[in-house]
Amino acid sequence: MAATSVLITVTGPDRPGVSSVLFAALTRHGVDLLDVEQVVIRGQLTLGALVAAPHDPEGLQDSVEQAMASIGMAVRTSLGTADEPRRHPTHVVVMTGRPITARAFGAVARALADVGANIDAIRRIADYPVTGLELLVSPDPARGSEGHPPGTLRKRLVEVARTAGVDVAVERAGLARRSKRLIVFDVDSTLVQGEVIEMLAARAGAEAEVRAVTEAAMAGELDFTESLRRRVAVLAGLPESVLAEVAAELELTPGARTTIRTLKRLGFRCGVVSGGFTRVISGLAAELGLDFCAANELEVVDGRLTGRVVGEVVDRPGKAVALRRFAEEFGVPLEQCVAVGDGANDIDMLATAGLGIAFNAKPALAEVADTALSHPYLDVVLFVLGITRDEVERADAAEGLLRRVPIAAAPSGRGEPGAGTVPPLGPA
């Protein structure tokens, strides 16, 4: 005779001893533990245990109810068969918002149901600078067990999320999600705020002209290589010293330090591949302790910029080439690489990486990236990778780095306004 499964759900105020009382009652009936999960929200406990009861399941129910009543906890039990098939999550859905409203969550939940996906588990992964929820989802057994058609789940959720005012990232569940080992960031408007070429052009009185060309290139309306040459040409005659001046003015995107520091703790190789300029960003790369850096070289003759780029141009295809080169150098398969960028010239790089993340991106990139993030905090990338805010803060606290800074009172410069943790200046 097959064993009977008993699902036991205990609820009530969280306090020490609840689990020990429950499992003492279960032990007396000689049951096998099939599954267990516990959640505490605002001091209220929900503890679920699925057990296989070979003998007297009704007696087990009575015993558990009496045990829980003795400590003031409510309990529900239900019977089934121990060999009932279990669903296995096929996808992870990460929702981020500031805030996530009930309306937004409801819209995503309905969209999941519409494509035949069941929510198996939900956990909060962040409360700052955005709210983040991670959902494990699986196919509805009533609609087949093959999994979701490629792209169907993400496409549907992104459409709903955009309307609801939240971001949604969708990945396959399993080891592949947790096997990422190398991450590459674009620099301008991704790792740092603003565009370096525009900061340089301001010294030549051509900022507006260059900004218009930059916007057209990032939107995919203009060939990047040609746009780069046109923009660099206006720098002709500027003293070489402007490169150091602009480098000193670079301001990190909120969350950048936290993101890189955390990923390096986890053993990631971290670096930048930029359509900008090595002489401007190399100091920042060293300060952050990055493992690699690829960017364009400005020609300098007799202490002045010539308005030309020398050497191999890091353009749209060049960024993908650089990613492949660094992945090979560090022995990391491309499927274990992550790329983060904001413009059309990042399309090839994001497509080459195992996971491509569009960060506050132009439509041309957001439409083709695996995930699009619209909040101006780079540490949201961590949440997409399954790293929680609590894990980040515990690691920072262990090193004495934790210091939450209110967004309105955040310092200027290269700190991380609104990023949650702001370490002292210096290498990560």
Side-chain angles (χ1 to χ4, degrees), residues 22 40 59 66 68 99 115 155 159 167 203 209 221 272 312 322 374 388:
L22 172 62
V40 178
Q66 292 173 15
M68 292 297 97
V115 296
K155 181 179 180 181
E159 292 170 354
D167 289 336
R203 266 73 174 175
E209 173 189 343
E221 300 168 358
V272 291
E312 185 177 350
S374 62
T388 71

PDB file of all heavy atoms in Angstrom, residues 22 40 59 66 68 99 115 155 159 167 203 209 221 272 312 322 374 388:
ATOM      1  N   LEU A  22       6.805  20.840  16.259  1.00  0.00           N
ATOM      2  CA  LEU A  22       6.198  20.162  15.118  1.00  0.00           C
ATOM      3  C   LEU A  22       6.913  18.851  14.813  1.00  0.00           C
ATOM      4  O   LEU A  22       6.286  17.800  14.655  1.00  0.00           O
ATOM      5  CB  LEU A  22       6.226  21.080  13.888  1.00  0.00           C
ATOM      6  CG  LEU A  22       5.798  20.420  12.567  1.00  0.00           C
ATOM      7  CD1 LEU A  22       4.358  19.937  12.634  1.00  0.00           C
ATOM      8  CD2 LEU A  22       6.000  21.399  11.402  1.00  0.00           C
ATOM      9  N   VAL A  40       8.971  33.980   6.949  1.00  0.00           N
ATOM     10  CA  VAL A  40       8.571  34.892   8.016  1.00  0.00           C
ATOM     11  C   VAL A  40       8.403  36.277   7.404  1.00  0.00           C
ATOM     12  O   VAL A  40       9.329  36.811   6.793  1.00  0.00           O
ATOM     13  CB  VAL A  40       9.607  34.949   9.156  1.00  0.00           C
ATOM     14  CG1 VAL A  40       9.165  35.953  10.212  1.00  0.00           C
ATOM     15  CG2 VAL A  40       9.799  33.565   9.776  1.00  0.00           C
ATOM     16  N   GLY A  59      -4.363   9.796  12.442  1.00  0.00           N
ATOM     17  CA  GLY A  59      -3.786   9.956  13.780  1.00  0.00           C
ATOM     18  C   GLY A  59      -2.679  10.989  13.789  1.00  0.00           C
ATOM     19  O   GLY A  59      -2.526  11.750  14.752  1.00  0.00           O
ATOM     20  N   GLN A  66      -2.886  18.923  17.928  1.00  0.00           N
ATOM     21  CA  GLN A  66      -2.770  19.091  19.378  1.00  0.00           C
ATOM     22  C   GLN A  66      -1.446  19.749  19.760  1.00  0.00           C
ATOM     23  O   GLN A  66      -1.406  20.633  20.629  1.00  0.00           O
ATOM     24  CB  GLN A  66      -2.906  17.728  20.067  1.00  0.00           C
ATOM     25  CG  GLN A  66      -4.293  17.110  19.973  1.00  0.00           C
ATOM     26  CD  GLN A  66      -4.337  15.696  20.522  1.00  0.00           C
ATOM     27  OE1 GLN A  66      -3.413  15.260  21.217  1.00  0.00           O
ATOM     28  NE2 GLN A  66      -5.415  14.975  20.214  1.00  0.00           N
ATOM     29  N   MET A  68       0.479  21.741  17.964  1.00  0.00           N
ATOM     30  CA  MET A  68       0.516  23.150  17.580  1.00  0.00           C
ATOM     31  C   MET A  68      -0.413  24.000  18.456  1.00  0.00           C
ATOM     32  O   MET A  68      -0.090  25.141  18.793  1.00  0.00           O
ATOM     33  CB  MET A  68       0.144  23.301  16.102  1.00  0.00           C
ATOM     34  CG  MET A  68       1.175  22.724  15.141  1.00  0.00           C
ATOM     35  SD  MET A  68       2.800  23.559  15.239  1.00  0.00           S
ATOM     36  CE  MET A  68       3.695  22.445  16.339  1.00  0.00           C
ATOM     37  N   PRO A  99       7.806  51.775  -6.447  1.00  0.00           N
ATOM     38  CA  PRO A  99       7.694  50.466  -5.782  1.00  0.00           C
ATOM     39  C   PRO A  99       7.123  49.425  -6.748  1.00  0.00           C
ATOM     40  O   PRO A  99       6.863  49.719  -7.921  1.00  0.00           O
ATOM     41  CB  PRO A  99       6.677  50.757  -4.686  1.00  0.00           C
ATOM     42  CG  PRO A  99       5.736  51.731  -5.346  1.00  0.00           C
ATOM     43  CD  PRO A  99       6.593  52.591  -6.254  1.00  0.00           C
ATOM     44  N   VAL A 115       0.147  32.286 -20.091  1.00  0.00           N
ATOM     45  CA  VAL A 115       1.062  31.468 -20.899  1.00  0.00           C
ATOM     46  C   VAL A 115       1.254  30.087 -20.283  1.00  0.00           C
ATOM     47  O   VAL A 115       2.161  29.343 -20.660  1.00  0.00           O
ATOM     48  CB  VAL A 115       2.426  32.168 -21.094  1.00  0.00           C
ATOM     49  CG1 VAL A 115       2.263  33.451 -21.879  1.00  0.00           C
ATOM     50  CG2 VAL A 115       3.115  32.424 -19.761  1.00  0.00           C
ATOM     51  N   LYS A 155       8.678  37.651 -23.658  1.00  0.00           N
ATOM     52  CA  LYS A 155       7.985  38.636 -24.498  1.00  0.00           C
ATOM     53  C   LYS A 155       6.689  39.086 -23.856  1.00  0.00           C
ATOM     54  O   LYS A 155       6.387  40.278 -23.791  1.00  0.00           O
ATOM     55  CB  LYS A 155       7.726  38.047 -25.878  1.00  0.00           C
ATOM     56  CG  LYS A 155       7.024  39.014 -26.828  1.00  0.00           C
ATOM     57  CD  LYS A 155       6.819  38.384 -28.198  1.00  0.00           C
ATOM     58  CE  LYS A 155       6.116  39.361 -29.132  1.00  0.00           C
ATOM     59  NZ  LYS A 155       5.880  38.749 -30.476  1.00  0.00           N
ATOM     60  N   GLU A 159       5.971  42.980 -22.056  1.00  0.00           N
ATOM     61  CA  GLU A 159       4.875  43.841 -22.502  1.00  0.00           C
ATOM     62  C   GLU A 159       4.017  44.280 -21.322  1.00  0.00           C
ATOM     63  O   GLU A 159       3.662  45.455 -21.184  1.00  0.00           O
ATOM     64  CB  GLU A 159       4.011  43.080 -23.511  1.00  0.00           C
ATOM     65  CG  GLU A 159       4.697  42.789 -24.826  1.00  0.00           C
ATOM     66  CD  GLU A 159       3.886  41.834 -25.699  1.00  0.00           C
ATOM     67  OE1 GLU A 159       2.853  41.322 -25.201  1.00  0.00           O
ATOM     68  OE2 GLU A 159       4.282  41.603 -26.855  1.00  0.00           O
ATOM     69  N   ASP A 167      10.122  46.470 -13.964  1.00  0.00           N
ATOM     70  CA  ASP A 167      11.020  45.745 -14.854  1.00  0.00           C
ATOM     71  C   ASP A 167      10.899  44.263 -14.560  1.00  0.00           C
ATOM     72  O   ASP A 167      10.719  43.854 -13.408  1.00  0.00           O
ATOM     73  CB  ASP A 167      12.479  46.178 -14.644  1.00  0.00           C
ATOM     74  CG  ASP A 167      12.739  47.579 -15.152  1.00  0.00           C
ATOM     75  OD1 ASP A 167      11.990  48.046 -16.030  1.00  0.00           O
ATOM     76  OD2 ASP A 167      13.699  48.214 -14.672  1.00  0.00           O
ATOM     77  N   ARG A 203      34.764  71.248 -23.955  1.00  0.00           N
ATOM     78  CA  ARG A 203      35.999  72.064 -23.919  1.00  0.00           C
ATOM     79  C   ARG A 203      36.268  72.738 -25.260  1.00  0.00           C
ATOM     80  O   ARG A 203      36.984  73.727 -25.323  1.00  0.00           O
ATOM     81  CB  ARG A 203      37.194  71.170 -23.585  1.00  0.00           C
ATOM     82  CG  ARG A 203      37.561  71.096 -22.120  1.00  0.00           C
ATOM     83  CD  ARG A 203      36.613  70.305 -21.302  1.00  0.00           C
ATOM     84  NE  ARG A 203      37.107  70.163 -19.909  1.00  0.00           N
ATOM     85  CZ  ARG A 203      36.433  69.585 -18.942  1.00  0.00           C
ATOM     86  NH1 ARG A 203      35.219  69.094 -19.202  1.00  0.00           N
ATOM     87  NH2 ARG A 203      36.929  69.491 -17.731  1.00  0.00           N
ATOM     88  N   GLU A 209      26.496  69.935 -30.634  1.00  0.00           N
ATOM     89  CA  GLU A 209      26.685  69.256 -31.914  1.00  0.00           C
ATOM     90  C   GLU A 209      27.043  67.786 -31.710  1.00  0.00           C
ATOM     91  O   GLU A 209      26.492  66.888 -32.355  1.00  0.00           O
ATOM     92  CB  GLU A 209      27.818  69.957 -32.685  1.00  0.00           C
ATOM     93  CG  GLU A 209      28.230  69.249 -33.958  1.00  0.00           C
ATOM     94  CD  GLU A 209      29.491  69.864 -34.557  1.00  0.00           C
ATOM     95  OE1 GLU A 209      29.844  70.992 -34.180  1.00  0.00           O
ATOM     96  OE2 GLU A 209      30.114  69.181 -35.395  1.00  0.00           O
ATOM     97  N   GLU A 221      20.669  55.020 -35.475  1.00  0.00           N
ATOM     98  CA  GLU A 221      20.313  55.769 -36.671  1.00  0.00           C
ATOM     99  C   GLU A 221      21.538  56.180 -37.477  1.00  0.00           C
ATOM    100  O   GLU A 221      21.405  56.697 -38.590  1.00  0.00           O
ATOM    101  CB  GLU A 221      19.530  57.030 -36.274  1.00  0.00           C
ATOM    102  CG  GLU A 221      18.235  56.724 -35.514  1.00  0.00           C
ATOM    103  CD  GLU A 221      17.634  57.966 -34.888  1.00  0.00           C
ATOM    104  OE1 GLU A 221      18.256  59.042 -35.024  1.00  0.00           O
ATOM    105  OE2 GLU A 221      16.560  57.854 -34.260  1.00  0.00           O
ATOM    106  N   VAL A 272      35.590  46.480 -18.533  1.00  0.00           N
ATOM    107  CA  VAL A 272      34.828  47.403 -19.372  1.00  0.00           C
ATOM    108  C   VAL A 272      35.264  47.274 -20.819  1.00  0.00           C
ATOM    109  O   VAL A 272      36.440  47.038 -21.118  1.00  0.00           O
ATOM    110  CB  VAL A 272      34.999  48.875 -18.912  1.00  0.00           C
ATOM    111  CG1 VAL A 272      34.321  49.087 -17.582  1.00  0.00           C
ATOM    112  CG2 VAL A 272      36.464  49.278 -18.834  1.00  0.00           C
ATOM    113  N   GLU A 312      42.996  49.977 -33.686  1.00  0.00           N
ATOM    114  CA  GLU A 312      41.731  49.303 -33.945  1.00  0.00           C
ATOM    115  C   GLU A 312      40.590  50.022 -33.237  1.00  0.00           C
ATOM    116  O   GLU A 312      40.666  50.309 -32.047  1.00  0.00           O
ATOM    117  CB  GLU A 312      41.813  47.854 -33.445  1.00  0.00           C
ATOM    118  CG  GLU A 312      40.595  47.017 -33.768  1.00  0.00           C
ATOM    119  CD  GLU A 312      40.770  45.582 -33.320  1.00  0.00           C
ATOM    120  OE1 GLU A 312      41.901  45.212 -32.935  1.00  0.00           O
ATOM    121  OE2 GLU A 312      39.771  44.828 -33.347  1.00  0.00           O
ATOM    122  N   ALA A 322      36.089  42.179 -28.509  1.00  0.00           N
ATOM    123  CA  ALA A 322      36.792  42.357 -27.234  1.00  0.00           C
ATOM    124  C   ALA A 322      36.246  41.405 -26.176  1.00  0.00           C
ATOM    125  O   ALA A 322      37.008  40.812 -25.405  1.00  0.00           O
ATOM    126  CB  ALA A 322      36.667  43.807 -26.766  1.00  0.00           C
ATOM    127  N   SER A 374      15.179  49.618 -16.259  1.00  0.00           N
ATOM    128  CA  SER A 374      14.893  51.039 -16.476  1.00  0.00           C
ATOM    129  C   SER A 374      15.200  51.911 -15.263  1.00  0.00           C
ATOM    130  O   SER A 374      15.055  53.128 -15.344  1.00  0.00           O
ATOM    131  CB  SER A 374      13.416  51.214 -16.858  1.00  0.00           C
ATOM    132  OG  SER A 374      12.566  50.779 -15.802  1.00  0.00           O
ATOM    133  N   THR A 388      21.031  38.660  -3.540  1.00  0.00           N
ATOM    134  CA  THR A 388      20.065  39.473  -2.812  1.00  0.00           C
ATOM    135  C   THR A 388      20.721  40.665  -2.140  1.00  0.00           C
ATOM    136  O   THR A 388      21.926  40.661  -1.865  1.00  0.00           O
ATOM    137  CB  THR A 388      19.338  38.642  -1.745  1.00  0.00           C
ATOM    138  OG1 THR A 388      20.257  38.333  -0.679  1.00  0.00           O
ATOM    139  CG2 THR A 388      18.780  37.347  -2.320  1.00  0.00           C
TER     140      THR A 388
END
